[in-house]
């Protein structure tokens, strides 16, 4: 399952951006989506930087597997999730 978040409509509303990002991350976890496509748009690149800073927060970073920047469209990011590990095996090596 793939979810999509287009930030074009709220690009200049900082708190709404954070709420939208957290919402799509939570939805991906709830629905066990393997991929979230986030579209900050091309613009000046500031919104993309904000999204990457959000995703890099410690409490957010532990929720997903990896972030991929689209090589063909730099106005798009992919956040990959992994739900295949059995519950007893998560967090090994801590």
């Amino acid at each position: 399952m793939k979810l999509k978040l287009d930030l074009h409509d709220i690009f200049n509303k900082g708190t709404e951006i954070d709420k939208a990002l957290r919402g799509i991350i939570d939805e991906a976890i709830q629905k066990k989506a393997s991929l979230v496509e986030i579209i900050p748009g091309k613009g000046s690149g500031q919104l993309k930087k904000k999204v990457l800073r959000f995703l890099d927060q410690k409490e957010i970073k532990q929720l997903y597997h990896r972030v991929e920047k689209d090589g063909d469209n730099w106005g798009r990011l992919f956040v990959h999730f992994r739900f295949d590990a059995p519950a007893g095996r998560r967090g090994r090596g801590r």
Side-chain angles (χ1 to χ4, degrees), residues 30-82:
Q30 177 191 9
K31 294 181 176 178
K32 296 193 182 310
S34 61
L35 181 67
V36 171
E37 178 182 350
I38 300 174
I39 303 173
K42 294 181 180 175
S44 68
Q46 292 305 307
L47 183 53
K48 183 176 180 180
K49 287 178 187 174
K50 179 174 180 48
V51 170
L52 289 170
R53 280 193 304 272
F54 176 89
L55 293 171
D56 202 38
Q57 295 176 86
K58 185 179 179 182
E59 66 275 8
I60 301 297
K61 198 171 191 173
Q62 66 189 6
L63 299 174
Y64 63 86
H65 175 61
R66 69 183 175 95
V67 173
E68 174 188 2
K69 297 174 185 174
D70 188 336
D72 297 326
N73 178 354
W74 62 272
R76 182 166 68 171
L77 300 166
F78 299 105
V79 182
H80 296 267
F81 292 83
R82 196 181 264 174

